[in-house]
Structure formats: C-alpha cells, structure tokens
Amino acid sequence: DFQLKDGDLLPGFPEWRLIWTPGHSEDSCCFYHETDGILVTGDTILGSSTTDTAVLPSVYSNKNRLQESIHRLKELKVRALAPGHGKLLQGERILDDL
C-alpha cells in the first residue's frame, strides 16, 4: 500500500515535495517546488476575489492547526502561489499578511 508522508518527494515529479497542512481539513496538503519557489496550496490558502492577495479559508476544521500549517508555509521561500481558488499570485512576500 503506497502512501506519501509529509516532506516526501512526489513520484514522477522529483522536484515537488508534499507538505501536510492540516487545518482547513485534517488531510489538507500543499505541493512545493523549492527550485522555482512555487507553492500549490489547494484550500489551505486561497486567493482573494477582490484583491491580489492570499487569504485564509473561512471554513476550517481546526483553527490552531491551520495557524501552525501557515507558520510552516511562511518558512518556505515562496515566489509564486497557486491557490485552490483565485488566480496565481507572485512576489517575494505573498504570505506575509496571513
């Protein structure tokens, strides 16, 4: 039975790493490409519908775990953010306001 764990590289995508980010849901995860600084967040982080900023989901299973997950993501060198909803966001400080 094959299972990915936090920090594993994705099979077939050797530069993409799984980052477990519980909070929105217990099984939420993101995918990070360290070389290019791209973070695919699913519903862990969303794009605002009115501004070019990242926002937290308004629905979550555990607020404390979501905050811990966001803290972990802020430690990454993210230059492009592909949220579950909204458009691609780019910049060196896209996670600063979360």
Side-chain angles (χ1 to χ4, degrees):
D1 202 279
F2 178 75
Q3 224 175 20
L4 291 171
K5 297 179 291 307
D6 184 47
D8 283 352
L9 291 172
L10 302 180
F13 300 91
E15 295 190 46
W16 287 92
R17 187 169 302 281
L18 174 97
I19 301 173
W20 184 52
T21 53
H24 172 66
S25 65
E26 281 307 303
D27 59 352
S28 291
C29 60
C30 295
F31 302 97
Y32 180 58
H33 190 279
E34 185 172 0
T35 303
D36 294 331
I38 302 169
L39 181 65
V40 178
T41 65
D43 287 344
T44 299
I45 298 174
L46 307 174
S48 170
S49 61
T50 57
T51 64
D52 289 340
T53 60
V55 296
L56 295 178
S58 58
V59 176
Y60 44 82
S61 65
N62 185 310
K63 186 176 182 178
N64 290 334
R65 292 194 85 171
L66 178 61
Q67 290 173 336
E68 290 169 7
S69 293
I70 298 305
H71 178 74
R72 283 186 64 210
L73 294 176
K74 284 182 168 187
E75 293 175 353
L76 303 174
K77 294 180 181 180
V78 177
R79 294 186 298 279
L81 179 84
H85 301 272
K87 62 183 182 177
L88 179 72
L89 301 171
Q90 295 183 36
E92 295 290 325
R93 309 188 67 89
I94 18 185
L95 301 179
D96 285 1
D97 293 332
L98 296 177

